[in-house]
Amino acid sequence: EQLWRQAQDGAEQLGDALASTFGPMITAVLAQGGFVPLLAGDAFTAVFPAATPEEQPLVFRRAIATAVAFQGSLAPASVDPQHPPATITAVKIGLSFGEVAWGLVDGGEQWAYYFRGRPIDRAGYAQGLAQPGKIVADVTAVAACADIAAACTLTPSPEEGFAYLSGHLSLPQPPAAPAPPPDPDAQAAFVPASVRSLARSADFREACPVFISFASDVAEAALHRFVTAVLHHARRYGGTF
């Protein structure tokens, strides 16, 4: 709200703060074999895939160690509410683990993709329980990897099934094959030209965001039909998806 009052200057400060924080964080996720399928305002979702059950403990360790490194790299939060910091000084992180489904939706002029599953729902819920500078984990997910649970400290949170996580897990060596660079042609299929052509400078605008959440038991065919309809109507009425 304070940056909003500064109009263009405030927007640029906020854009710079997000870019200076998100850039290194996303780079760190990629370096540990993860990827970021979703950016939403001042938050993002990261997924660390495991190809085999044997890889699961190492992959979960990569996710936790990356989260711990995020918190350690940020400066203490500003205590002056009249002067918003020029950089992000604290983040809230939620962690879970388990099977995640993904899919591609052909909307004609634009494609869409999704990632869904209990771990994403639980990680998002855990983040909502966290305080700035803290990590909240799904305790059932942590318990599934005994060696990781032994290396971390879990402090119960007010919500049953979740706990504050702390520890000093060292970052594993990066995977042998780093993530490939973005493919502009692939991006064009999913990102509208009106978005890809935006200038790097930021701006505050009046907008009507629509957040859509799906029940975990929605059939894939029904989900695809609905997303296809959303893509069509978004284009029809001047929105983006």
Side-chain angles (χ1 to χ4, degrees):
E1 292 180 0
Q2 295 168 13
L3 292 175
W4 177 275
R5 300 189 192 104
Q6 300 178 36
Q8 183 66 27
D9 288 343
E12 291 180 354
Q13 289 182 47
L14 179 59
D16 290 344
L18 291 174
S20 65
T21 304
F22 277 14
M25 285 185 170
I26 292 174
T27 297
V29 168
L30 296 175
Q32 288 298 325
F35 61 94
V36 176
L38 176 64
L39 283 160
D42 60 354
F44 68 79
T45 298
V47 175
F48 292 78
T52 65
E54 292 73 23
E55 290 183 7
Q56 291 176 359
L58 175 59
V59 168
F60 195 29
R61 184 183 183 91
R62 291 186 188 280
I64 293 178
T66 303
V68 172
F70 286 169
Q71 301 292 31
S73 67
L74 297 175
S78 170
V79 296
D80 184 358
Q82 300 303 316
H83 297 86
T87 59
I88 305 298
T89 56
V91 295
K92 303 188 300 179
I93 297 175
L95 288 171
S96 189
F97 182 78
E99 186 171 317
V100 172
W102 63 273
L104 298 174
V105 180
D106 183 358
E109 296 179 26
Q110 180 187 339
W111 284 68
Y113 62 86
Y114 61 83
F115 288 80
R116 64 173 182 154
R118 189 171 185 271
I120 290 181
D121 294 340
R122 298 276 287 181
Y125 189 78
Q127 179 275 146
L129 299 174
Q131 298 296 317
K134 301 296 183 180
I135 301 171
V136 171
D138 178 347
V139 294
T140 58
V142 176
C145 298
D147 59 328
I148 294 174
C152 298
T153 300
L154 295 176
T155 305
S157 77
E159 185 83 10
E160 185 178 357
F162 296 89
Y164 289 100
L165 182 148
S166 60
H168 300 285
L169 287 173
S170 59
L171 284 170
Q173 288 296 317
D183 182 345
D185 292 334
Q187 290 177 330
F190 294 92
V191 183
S194 59
V195 175
R196 288 183 282 116
S197 62
L198 289 174
R200 293 181 64 87
S201 59
D203 191 11
F204 284 129
R205 300 185 183 185
E206 297 287 345
C208 180
V210 179
F211 181 82
I212 303 173
S213 179
F214 303 99
S216 59
D217 59 350
V218 171
E220 182 177 324
L223 177 60
H224 282 220
R225 286 194 300 270
F226 181 80
V227 173
T228 299
V230 170
L231 289 168
H232 169 74
H233 289 299
R235 291 194 303 271
R236 180 180 180 185
Y237 294 107
T240 59
F241 183 85

